[in-house]
Amino acid sequence: MPQFLEAFPEAKNTAIQGTLVATILMAGALTSLTSGSISDKFSRKRTIMIGAIVAAVGCFLEAGSVELWMLILGRLIAGGDQKTRKGNQT
């Protein structure tokens, strides 16, 4: 974690650390409310494919983030996909 704190010194704050962890879960909880209707409208296969693309965008943004807001945004995007894709894989 020293390299992470070097890149994002704001993350030494425990509230920021909690926000980083919670963003992926909050976004996942919100998108889980609509994943069923999206799956019914577009089919489960397409929903999973779209979710995978959204996850890739979020992960690329996280990996390439140079500012804390970019990291949080990437986690929100990746978390938004989390329940959309996983909720349809039954």
Side-chain angles (χ1 to χ4, degrees):
M1 185 123 170
Q3 293 91 358
F4 178 78
L5 291 176
E6 213 173 281
F8 303 105
E10 309 92 5
K12 291 179 182 175
N13 185 342
T14 56
I16 299 290
Q17 291 174 5
T19 302
L20 283 172
V21 171
T23 51
I24 202 163
L25 301 172
M26 289 185 300
L30 291 174
T31 56
S32 68
L33 300 173
T34 60
S35 65
S37 59
I38 291 172
S39 178
D40 289 342
K41 186 174 182 177
F42 297 112
S43 84
R44 187 165 56 169
K45 183 178 179 181
R46 286 189 182 144
T47 304
I48 291 170
M49 289 186 334
I50 291 168
I53 292 167
V54 170
V57 169
C59 290
F60 287 139
L61 187 58
E62 285 180 71
S65 61
V66 292
E67 297 286 334
L68 186 63
W69 68 267
M70 293 173 70
L71 182 64
I72 292 173
L73 182 64
R75 290 184 64 82
L76 281 170
I77 293 170
D81 156 69
Q82 191 178 36
K83 294 297 180 182
T84 302
R85 208 166 24 99
K86 301 230 181 349
N88 291 308
Q89 292 178 350
T90 55

